Amino acid sequence: MKKRYLFTPGPVPVSDQLLAAMSEPTIHHRSTEFEKVFADLTANLKLIFQTKEAVYVQAASGTGGLESAVVNTLSPNDRVIVVNSGKFGERWEKICRSHYLTVVPIKVPWGQAVSPDQVSRLLDEHPDTRALLCQACETSTGVMHPIKALSQLTKNRPETLILVDGISAIGGVDLPMDQWGLDVVVSGSQKGLAGPTGVTFIALSKKAWAFNKKAQCPRYYFDLRAERLAYDKNQTRFSAPTALLNGLNVSLNHILQTGLKKHFQRTNELAMATRTAGKILGLTLFPKSPSPTLTAFEIPPSIDGQKLKEHLEVYHQITVAGGQEQLKGKVFRVGHMGEISDSDLIYFIEKLGQSLSSLGAQGINDDLIGQAIQATRAVLCQ
Ligand SMILES: *Cc1c(COP(=O)(O)O)cnc(C)c1O
């Protein structure tokens, strides 16, 4: 198979062992064989979510998990505060509006993190708020939000939940659900969990389950009360994506065998190495408080962002993500999740330098690219 360098913040590269596990003969989703796969998977997920609660498995991309979080805890006309600091905050806001919730949006300039003080003031202003919704990492800008501080604001308000979109955070950065008192945590398979695309995961605190009893949003496919009955038998309610789950167990086992703390350190190390090298190549970091799971770099004004992406793809088999909406052509995003080796990153830095140089970036020559590679190595060897 042709080697690809998938440096996007989702989907992410997966290991050969994971690919092999996905190519095993299909098993039936109502078999003891599958029940064993499912039991391993959910035990692994609980350790990675750092929760004692069940982590439910639903066949959908991450956006399905965001909708599941809303419909399983809230009702039409409920007031919710939604942090909108980019593409994914905007999406969660749209999901809430489509279920006729009353949205109080917090518009945060792209590239910045939400201020807990501002959230605190809004909660005081609207004491009937049923939930605060926020991304842990807003993947469109590369920002990490202060989730621990936000959780302090909802902890002592029995009538208010905190719902966290951890799709590009869980598995890549520390987000201890129980310790921080997070009420709903959503993840997806193709980002921090280093798996294939197509599965979403959701866990609810006891407080969130109490909300579930009163939640009136219509739901059928995503109904977690029914899903819970299947979960208790180590099954999913509907046909499980057995090949995907079999593959996911490989990456979750790998993360847990490495140890969560060490695995987070590795993600951070890839981020630091990329940023150090990027700085040498004249790139600036876009977000003010960057997440370790991805890096959004500003594209030098002399360079066409679309051309840079194409150049990396066509000449070097490297895929990076461009900017979305207002950031189109202005930033490019590099993921640090999934199966990325030291030599993959060094190759990436070399080819990034060469591509910037071919497209006419000022002052980039072989000597500077050499320095960037040295700096990458130095960070990775620490
Ligand atoms: C990728 C992503 C999503 C959406 O996931 P899909 O799998 O594309 O539906 C939602 N939120 C965040 C923070 C993401 O990074």
Side-chain angles (χ1 to χ4, degrees):
M1 271 186 278
K2 195 170 96 188
K3 170 91 179 161
R4 285 174 179 279
Y5 295 89
L6 192 56
F7 273 94
T8 48
V12 301
V14 300
S15 68
D16 293 344
Q17 294 93 311
L18 186 152
L19 291 175
M22 285 204 302
S23 67
E24 285 171 16
T26 300
I27 58 171
H28 198 275
H29 60 281
R30 308 281 178 227
S31 65
T32 46
E33 210 179 348
F34 176 71
E35 286 168 16
K36 167 90 178 65
V37 171
F38 190 84
D40 287 347
L41 180 81
T42 50
N44 284 341
L45 284 167
K46 285 161 88 163
L47 293 171
I48 293 176
F49 274 60
Q50 301 182 64
T51 184
K52 289 202 172 65
E53 305 299 334
V55 182
Y56 296 92
V57 178
Q58 300 188 298
S61 80
T63 306
L66 299 184
E67 180 149 25
S68 185
V70 169
V71 297
N72 280 292
T73 53
L74 298 164
S75 305
N77 300 318
D78 274 358
R79 186 187 302 281
V80 290
I81 296 177
V82 183
V83 175
N84 178 345
S85 68
K87 194 79 199 135
F88 294 107
E90 183 184 296
R91 186 174 301 175
W92 226 358
E93 190 181 324
K94 283 183 184 160
I95 291 172
C96 290
R97 290 192 195 281
S98 71
H99 289 284
Y100 305 103
L101 306 190
T102 303
V103 176
V104 180
I106 304 188
K107 271 266 190 195
V108 179
W110 284 37
Q112 290 180 28
V114 69
S115 142
D117 287 344
Q118 191 186 353
V119 176
S120 176
R121 281 195 300 274
L122 265 185
L123 282 167
D124 287 341
E125 214 175 294
H126 301 288
D128 62 340
T129 299
R130 296 287 285 164
L132 165 65
L133 286 75
C134 190
Q135 273 57 45
C137 162
E138 171 52 74
T139 323
S140 60
T141 64
V143 158
M144 191 75 201
H145 285 297
I147 296 299
K148 188 179 181 184
L150 296 182
S151 71
Q152 299 301 318
L153 303 175
T154 53
K155 222 175 194 164
N156 301 317
R157 291 176 199 259
E159 292 308 316
T160 314
L161 297 176
I162 179 165
L163 276 50
V164 179
D165 169 356
I167 295 173
S168 58
I170 291 281
V173 329
D174 200 23
L175 200 73
M177 175 170 166
D178 290 358
Q179 196 190 326
W180 288 1
L182 309 178
D183 294 305
V184 180
V185 178
V186 176
S187 187
S189 49
Q190 80 278 24
K191 297 189 184 170
L193 299 177
T197 307
V199 194
T200 187
F201 308 103
I202 179 166
L204 271 64
S205 69
K206 297 207 166 50
K207 184 175 165 188
W209 274 114
F211 273 57
N212 175 268
K213 287 212 177 74
K214 290 184 238 155
Q216 297 294 327
C217 280
R219 53 193 182 273
Y220 179 74
Y221 183 78
F222 286 123
D223 193 343
L224 287 176
R225 288 166 305 187
E227 192 63 51
R228 183 146 84 166
L229 302 176
Y231 180 96
D232 290 339
K233 294 187 284 182
N234 281 319
Q235 292 186 4
T236 53
R237 184 173 161 220
F238 304 115
S239 299
T242 53
L244 301 184
L245 300 183
N246 215 22
L248 254 150
N249 260 340
V250 175
S251 67
L252 301 190
N253 281 332
H254 173 75
I255 292 172
L256 291 168
Q257 271 155 20
T258 306
L260 274 187
K261 202 168 157 218
K262 240 178 124 185
H263 182 74
F264 298 150
Q265 272 167 8
R266 169 69 183 168
T267 309
N268 196 48
E269 195 178 87
L270 290 168
M272 290 307 144
T274 304
R275 289 165 199 174
T276 307
K279 193 169 176 198
I280 293 172
L281 296 174
L283 298 169
T284 40
L285 198 56
F286 174 71
K288 303 283 177 288
S289 55
S291 164
T293 53
L294 78 145
T295 298
F297 282 122
E298 287 177 26
I299 293 169
S302 61
I303 291 189
D304 179 335
Q306 191 53 32
K307 286 227 173 79
L308 175 64
K309 222 171 101 61
E310 278 167 20
H311 198 276
L312 287 166
E313 185 84 53
V314 172
Y315 294 102
H316 307 301
Q317 295 76 51
I318 291 170
T319 312
V320 294
Q324 294 162 290
E325 290 194 4
Q326 66 199 81
L327 293 182
K328 212 174 171 86
K330 296 196 180 126
V331 304
F332 69 100
R333 295 170 299 139
V334 183
H336 310 305
M337 300 168 279
E339 188 75 9
I340 299 171
S341 68
D342 287 5
S343 55
D344 291 340
L345 185 64
I346 289 164
Y347 173 82
F348 169 72
I349 295 300
E350 181 186 7
K351 299 307 170 192
L352 175 63
Q354 289 172 359
S355 301
L356 286 167
S357 169
S358 332
L359 294 172
Q362 293 293 307
I364 301 187
N365 53 30
D366 285 352
D367 187 39
L368 197 75
I369 296 171
Q371 284 176 38
I373 292 171
Q374 279 308 321
T376 307
R377 282 217 178 88
V379 176
L380 294 175
C381 287
Q382 271 167 16

